[in-house]
Amino acid sequence: MTTLITKTITKICLPLVILFSISLLLAGHNNPGGGFIGGVMFASVIALTYVVYGLDHIKSFFNPDWGNWFGFGLLLASFTAFSAIAFSHNFFRSAVEFVHLPFFGEVELVSAGLFDIGVYFVVIGGLLSIFKNVGDDK
Amino acid sequence: MDSFTAITLAVFLPFILAGILPAIEKLLKDKIGWYASAVAFLSLLLVAQAAPEIIHGETIQRSIEWLPSLGINLSFYADGLSVMFGFIVSGIGVIIMSYSNGYMSKKEDLPRYYQQLLFFMGSMLGMVFSANTIQLFIFWELTSITSFMLIGYWRNRPMSVYGATKSLLITATGGLFMLAGFLVLHAITGTFDIPTILHNESMREMIHGHELFLAALILIFIGAASKSAQGPFYIWLPNAMEAPTPVSAFLHSATMVKAGIYLIARIHPIFSGTDAWFFLVSGIGIFTMLLAGFLAFRQTDIKGILAYSTISQLAYLMTMYGYTTYHEPGIGVAAATFHLLNHATFKACLFLVAGIVAHETATRDITKMGGLRKEMPITFIVATIGALSMAGIPPLNGFLSKEMFYEASVEMGALLGSPYNILIPALAVLGGVFTFAYSIKLIDGIFLGKRPSKGLPEHIHDPSMVMLAPAIFLAGLIILFGLVPSIPVHYFIDPTVSGILLEETQLHVKLWHGFTTSLMMTIVTFALGILTYTQYGKIAEWQNRFNARFPWISVNYYYDATVENAKKVTSKFSNRMQPGPVKTYVLALLLLTIAMFAIPAILLASSLIPQNLNFDIPLYEGLIFMFMIIAAFGAALLPRYIPAILALSGLGYLVSLLFIYLQAPDLALTQVLVETLSTIIFLLAIVKIPQKFKEHVPATTLTRDLLIAVTVASMVFILLINANQGIIPPFESLSHYFIEKSLPLAGGHNIVNVIIVDFRGYDTLGEISVLCLAAFGVYNLIHSRGDDE
């Protein structure tokens, strides 16, 4: 599996794919993409590095607890869902705000976007913790 | 701040502040208990904020829309009853959490302990302020769960686990009965809202005359009885004593076990004034009162004695709330409410003392104790005040409510006529006699008499003020309520009773009111109590002998048998249902799918293949289809694993290509990514096993599998071509709605994503929760295999 070619390509791909996954996440409200797709993309590129370089090697310098990731994501998503109640709206009511920022022009802030970020983290954390556990199993 | 906000905050703040407790713990280290008591105190202040309005006889009610389509809202309702409970819960909460600072050793897992205590307090407050039966049920079960965790706090003691499981099984099952009762009530009235029913005369009368009246009453009562350890459900409370003592004091004497009593008081206006109410509630109450009072004799564990006494005291409350006739719906309500408040003070006080004694002597066995009055003078005084109040000695508050109980019993008996006019007061006195006996036993066994020569540590002394102050405070309350009964009566009892009876009431409780029948009964109680106490040891011995001879005359025996058998039955069941090979599961799934599709298709469809199908396939599509078919054959037929998996992934990529061609970028992206990931995982797992199929498949199996595969495939095919024909009336296509509303309602152009995060956000929340659970499941699967080998 791990030839020099795959290693090199993985190295080049890794930052690009991560950036792409974040852009997918942020663009999701109006363009193709969203939390789930972004999350799966991020997870698959990390999984690829695990496969190509070997779990143990990667774990020696990059070993986050993926469980915390999905915990955080679930918390964020639930928080977004319930926070609408604090503003005495219905459960899950989303709010839209257009903000004008320098450099970026019109930026649309949607509370559903926060929910999407929660989904993103859950997907990454869930998939990678499964992946790591299966891979760790001797 | 208006009262509604105050109450909402009082309910939710404990949850939120418990959530950040681990972070606070990093700062405060082992002083974290004071933070928890501060949170409880905050809730107490917030409840107090709402109290003045209630004392003036108003009620507070507001709601936030939750599920308007089902008529379920997040709504809070505060009247005298709920505010009194709110005070008891948060007040005792402050006391208990302060006390825990002295009781819990610094080596324990303190954050977990305090977090669960706060969660419990929040659930309990939420329950008493709920205006909606469904919401009440949710908080009710939350208290069951937190109780389960707190009883099982010491996870590695088998008895703790046993007690926790028992309490959860019994109380949670009771809660489900209660939910069923609420649904029946909803079927009768058409509303989940409690105040609506309470304040609606005609609706209450309709309930009384309805044929489902008895069903609703019995179902709700089972819930209440299981929570308050009444009748045959009493068995969980003695085992709950495995919890740390502060937990027992908080949950299993002062608050959680009163949830059932609260429910009885809450539905009192709806169901009372009927024979069924009296016989069910008072009948079970009197039965439990005598049984638990009698069973307390054989306990040697001081917490065990307190547990049985709690059961019997709760039964007093049940009995009093049950006293009712058609013209006088609430004879015992005032007495019950007053006794409820008093019981919270003296029982919590006694539990704190039990905790102190166990902490100092390192044992809870009353037979090993004695003569501690010299070494622990302050504890001795506090304990005596608590126990004498429980026994009903003047001038303490227990005496007052006991008098009211006797009064109500006499009145009830008189209203019912012979033979009840003798029977009910006699049974009440008998309950009082038992109470008197075990109260005295507590003091005598621990503090009086001679100190045993061995078994106790050398130097025993009064504990630090951290543990003593809460108990002294409660003892002070006992004396205060006894000497100046007008304080609790004015602030708590009057508004509560008015709320239950739905009319203004003014009670006059005095310490001395001349020689009445009830005073006579009290004197008789004392005389008989002293007489019984002289025979205490003999009675206990007789009970032990009886139990040894007839082990099957006990509820515990049946509980244990049921649980043991359940284990056997479930293991048989799971051996049958979970044979192991994945193939079997897939087979079962597919067969079920076929059945579920075939039955309606045969019954309803005129023809399976729709008319006027569109047969012109563009070349590009045709090519993709052809490759897909080849890939599918490859996945099924290739003799080695890796090529077969690659063929399967190829099929997946072709599907995403098709999605792109059909202009569905979101789907295509997702498909590509998921396919990639699953391929990687597949390959990871597959390199660890031999690369060739070794097993020989017999021809019959092959034919069978082939048949199933063909059937499923043709079924899906038929479904799809039918779906393509457009939507069958009366079902409309939903897509137009989403296309129209996506931008104005949710501000997004990407309809797929807007559906996921907004229109169907709740589904997504459920799905990501499932994903988290799956991750945990895999973790457990991988890590639990080592234990079996």
Side-chain angles (χ1 to χ4, degrees):
Chain A
M1 294 272 290
T2 50
T3 58
L4 187 62
I5 299 172
T6 39
K7 282 187 178 180
T8 320
I9 288 180
T10 309
K11 256 184 204 166
I12 297 167
C13 275
L14 182 73
L16 290 176
V17 176
I18 289 177
L19 284 175
F20 183 47
S21 94
I22 294 171
S23 86
L24 270 181
L25 161 73
L26 296 178
H29 215 56
N30 296 321
N31 297 311
F36 184 80
I37 300 176
V40 176
M41 177 152 295
F42 190 101
S44 56
V45 78
I46 301 286
L48 184 70
T49 51
Y50 276 159
V51 172
V52 170
Y53 286 91
L55 245 180
D56 299 335
H57 175 64
I58 297 286
K59 269 184 7 189
S60 61
F61 58 87
F62 174 70
N63 190 19
D65 181 359
W66 298 115
N68 290 346
W69 285 52
F70 68 71
F72 169 76
L74 201 56
L75 205 68
L76 187 67
S78 322
F79 168 78
T80 316
F82 283 100
S83 60
I85 291 183
F87 298 104
S88 60
H89 282 306
N90 281 359
F91 187 50
F92 262 107
R93 174 74 173 272
S94 82
V96 185
E97 220 26 90
F98 289 92
V99 184
H100 201 80
L101 290 178
F103 296 122
F104 296 99
E106 284 284 293
V107 174
E108 181 188 13
L109 290 180
V110 194
S111 68
L114 268 181
F115 183 80
D116 227 7
I117 292 172
V119 174
Y120 181 77
F121 277 101
V122 170
V123 170
I124 293 173
L127 288 176
L128 284 174
S129 73
I130 292 175
F131 197 84
K132 207 167 108 175
N133 279 315
V134 173
D136 258 341
D137 190 32
K138 291 289 175 283
Chain B
M1 178 166 19
D2 69 318
S3 306
F4 174 76
T5 319
I7 283 169
T8 314
L9 279 178
V11 172
F12 287 113
L13 269 184
F15 286 106
I16 296 165
L17 293 174
I20 58 168
L21 192 135
I24 307 279
E25 196 254 346
K26 298 261 190 304
L27 296 170
L28 294 174
K29 296 285 184 299
D30 48 18
K31 296 273 185 290
I32 187 71
W34 297 111
Y35 167 78
S37 7
V39 174
F41 190 64
L42 190 64
S43 281
L44 180 70
L45 290 181
L46 286 164
V47 175
Q49 166 98 19
E53 274 186 54
I54 304 294
I55 291 166
H56 288 301
E58 296 165 35
T59 57
I60 302 163
Q61 190 196 350
R62 280 239 304 274
S63 55
I64 297 168
E65 282 207 342
W66 180 261
L67 295 171
S69 48
L70 293 177
I72 297 171
N73 293 327
L74 180 80
S75 46
F76 288 111
Y77 171 72
D79 63 350
L81 178 68
S82 39
V83 165
M84 182 178 85
F85 260 97
F87 270 116
I88 291 177
V89 172
S90 51
I92 303 269
V94 175
I95 288 169
I96 295 296
M97 291 182 206
S98 315
Y99 173 90
S100 299
N101 283 308
Y103 184 87
M104 297 302 277
S105 125
K106 305 282 180 246
K107 295 190 208 65
E108 299 277 8
D109 186 357
L110 291 178
R112 179 162 63 98
Y113 173 78
Y114 287 113
Q115 217 171 2
Q116 283 163 3
L117 272 182
L118 285 177
F119 280 145
F120 165 76
M121 198 181 84
S123 336
M124 193 72 202
L125 286 170
M127 195 202 87
V128 298
F129 288 115
S130 288
N132 189 297
T133 46
I134 301 296
Q135 185 190 334
L136 193 150
F137 166 76
I138 291 171
F139 280 119
W140 175 280
E141 293 297 46
L142 269 175
T143 60
S144 291
I145 292 166
T146 39
S147 159
F148 165 77
M149 292 184 172
L150 282 162
I151 296 172
Y153 176 74
W154 285 306
R155 305 174 205 188
N156 35 21
R157 297 186 189 175
M159 278 316 283
S160 291
V161 175
Y162 173 77
T165 315
K166 201 172 188 175
S167 78
L168 183 69
L169 278 176
I170 293 174
T171 53
T173 314
L176 292 176
F177 275 97
M178 181 185 81
L179 177 66
F182 287 156
L183 293 177
V184 173
L185 202 60
H186 180 255
I188 301 172
T189 59
T191 175
F192 285 117
D193 203 46
I194 303 170
T196 311
I197 305 175
L198 288 186
H199 299 302
N200 189 334
E201 187 80 35
S202 60
M203 203 178 261
R204 294 207 306 273
E205 273 172 15
M206 184 182 80
I207 295 173
H208 277 240
H210 202 278
E211 57 198 354
L212 288 172
F213 169 82
L214 205 59
L217 173 60
I218 289 174
L219 286 168
I220 297 177
F221 180 73
I222 288 176
S226 67
K227 197 80 164 179
S228 287
Q230 297 300 297
F233 306 115
Y234 79 89
I235 53 172
W236 68 266
L237 194 62
N239 289 94
M241 294 300 133
E242 292 302 323
T245 304
V247 171
S248 309
F250 191 20
L251 271 69
H252 308 126
S253 81
T255 58
M256 186 185 99
V257 286
K258 293 226 170 76
I261 306 290
Y262 163 83
L263 184 66
I264 292 290
R266 176 56 81 214
I267 62 171
H268 187 283
I270 305 175
F271 290 99
S272 70
T274 54
D275 291 348
W277 175 267
F278 170 69
F279 281 110
L280 192 67
V281 181
S282 284
I284 296 278
I286 289 175
F287 168 74
T288 314
M289 174 174 87
L290 298 178
L291 179 79
F294 186 63
L295 286 176
F297 283 74
R298 59 179 290 225
Q299 297 300 315
T300 53
D301 172 358
I302 45 179
K303 281 179 79 178
I305 298 177
L306 286 174
Y308 278 101
S309 80
T310 305
I311 298 169
S312 78
Q313 298 291 324
L314 291 168
Y316 274 72
L317 300 173
M318 270 296 180
T319 311
M320 291 188 243
Y321 278 121
Y323 285 161
T324 184
T325 61
Y326 184 69
H327 296 290
E328 296 260 351
I331 296 170
V333 167
T337 311
F338 194 30
H339 195 61
L340 196 154
L341 186 69
N342 296 340
H343 177 253
T345 55
F346 64 69
K347 192 52 64 70
C349 174
L350 283 172
F351 263 108
L352 295 187
V353 169
I356 290 172
V357 171
H359 200 257
E360 297 300 321
T361 59
T363 175
R364 291 196 331 227
D365 192 342
I366 201 162
T367 53
K368 292 182 184 158
M369 296 183 194
L372 296 179
R373 66 184 179 283
K374 295 197 187 79
E375 287 148 297
M376 306 170 78
I378 304 176
T379 316
F380 169 56
I381 293 166
V382 170
T384 310
I385 292 170
L388 293 185
S389 173
M390 183 155 81
I393 309 271
L396 303 169
N397 59 5
F399 165 73
L400 295 171
S401 39
K402 187 81 50 107
E403 287 278 279
M404 289 165 81
F405 171 53
Y406 286 160
E407 223 170 291
S409 302
V410 171
E411 201 178 330
M412 186 70 212
L415 281 172
L416 287 176
S418 174
Y420 293 106
N421 56 357
I422 305 292
L423 185 67
I424 292 183
L427 290 174
V429 168
L430 190 57
V433 169
F434 289 148
T435 308
F436 184 87
Y438 58 66
S439 306
I440 302 301
K441 174 72 184 171
L442 273 176
I443 302 300
D444 188 25
I446 302 173
F447 296 101
L448 304 178
K450 285 229 311 274
R451 182 182 164 130
S453 48
K454 59 177 192 298
L456 288 183
E458 281 297 308
H459 300 288
I460 298 175
H461 50 81
D462 271 325
S464 64
M465 273 326 265
V466 174
M467 286 169 81
L468 264 181
I472 293 173
F473 174 75
L474 284 169
L477 277 186
I478 292 170
I479 297 171
L480 178 76
F481 287 0
L483 294 177
V484 198
S486 58
I487 297 175
V489 167
H490 174 72
Y491 287 107
F492 297 120
I493 313 298
D494 276 347
T496 307
V497 175
S498 312
I500 297 176
L501 297 181
L502 305 171
E503 56 190 25
E504 268 316 300
T505 42
Q506 291 288 336
L507 291 175
H508 299 287
V509 181
K510 285 213 283 290
L511 201 57
W512 174 252
H513 40 71
F515 273 104
T516 52
T517 329
S518 51
L519 194 67
M520 293 307 216
M521 287 164 77
T522 307
I523 293 165
V524 171
T525 307
F526 292 163
L528 283 174
I530 293 166
L531 202 68
T532 315
Y533 188 67
T534 55
Q535 304 300 315
Y536 200 96
K538 280 185 183 161
I539 296 175
E541 259 172 54
W542 179 83
Q543 284 182 10
N544 283 330
R545 276 205 309 276
F546 182 88
N547 198 32
R549 197 174 327 151
F550 307 109
W552 47 270
I553 306 187
S554 83
V555 187
N556 269 321
Y557 175 83
Y558 293 103
Y559 168 84
D560 288 337
T562 314
V563 173
E564 281 305 310
N565 280 331
K567 280 178 188 161
K568 288 193 195 106
V569 171
T570 45
S571 70
K572 270 185 196 153
F573 177 81
S574 55
N575 284 342
R576 178 65 52 83
M577 288 302 289
Q578 309 268 341
V582 179
K583 195 169 170 178
T584 327
Y585 299 148
V586 175
L587 205 67
L589 247 171
L590 292 179
L591 284 174
L592 186 70
T593 322
I594 292 170
M596 287 176 75
F597 169 76
I599 294 165
I602 291 164
L603 290 178
L604 302 176
S606 49
S607 71
L608 291 181
I609 309 289
Q611 306 305 317
N612 54 38
L613 282 175
N614 173 4
F615 279 108
D616 58 341
I617 302 171
L619 178 68
Y620 184 80
E621 258 183 85
L623 273 175
I624 293 182
F625 286 141
M626 203 179 69
F627 282 126
M628 278 161 87
I629 292 168
I630 293 170
F633 270 111
L637 301 176
L638 283 169
R640 282 164 181 275
Y641 278 120
I642 289 191
I645 287 170
L646 288 179
L648 193 63
S649 327
L651 178 58
Y653 287 125
L654 284 164
V655 170
S656 61
L657 202 60
L658 190 67
F659 282 147
I660 293 174
Y661 176 73
L662 297 174
Q663 300 168 358
D666 278 280
L667 287 179
L669 254 173
T670 314
Q671 176 69 25
V672 166
L673 287 166
V674 171
E675 203 55 55
T676 312
L677 205 65
S678 55
T679 308
I680 293 176
I681 292 181
F682 242 141
L683 289 173
L684 268 190
I686 222 81
V687 291
K688 295 179 182 172
I689 54 174
Q691 287 309 300
K692 270 182 102 75
F693 296 113
K694 284 234 168 42
E695 62 207 283
H696 173 70
V697 185
T700 45
T701 322
L702 197 66
T703 334
R704 188 196 63 186
D705 291 356
L706 202 65
L707 261 176
I708 291 172
V710 170
T711 320
V712 172
S714 43
M715 180 189 96
V716 174
F717 177 72
I718 291 170
L719 264 182
L720 282 177
I721 56 173
N722 275 306
N724 258 344
Q725 283 305 296
I727 305 293
I728 311 155
F731 303 108
E732 302 256 325
S733 168
L734 286 174
S735 52
H736 299 294
Y737 171 85
F738 288 124
I739 292 167
E740 280 166 27
K741 307 279 178 180
S742 166
L743 195 56
L745 281 185
H749 292 279
N750 179 359
I751 299 168
V752 174
N753 184 265
V754 167
I755 289 173
I756 289 176
V757 297
D758 203 325
F759 288 121
R760 290 253 155 256
Y762 202 34
D763 293 359
T764 313
L765 193 64
E767 278 157 22
I768 57 180
S769 311
V770 169
L771 191 63
C772 294
L773 278 179
F776 282 128
V778 169
Y779 181 88
N780 278 327
L781 273 180
I782 301 275
H783 288 260
S784 64
R785 282 183 323 184
D787 310 340
D788 305 339
E789 287 156 8

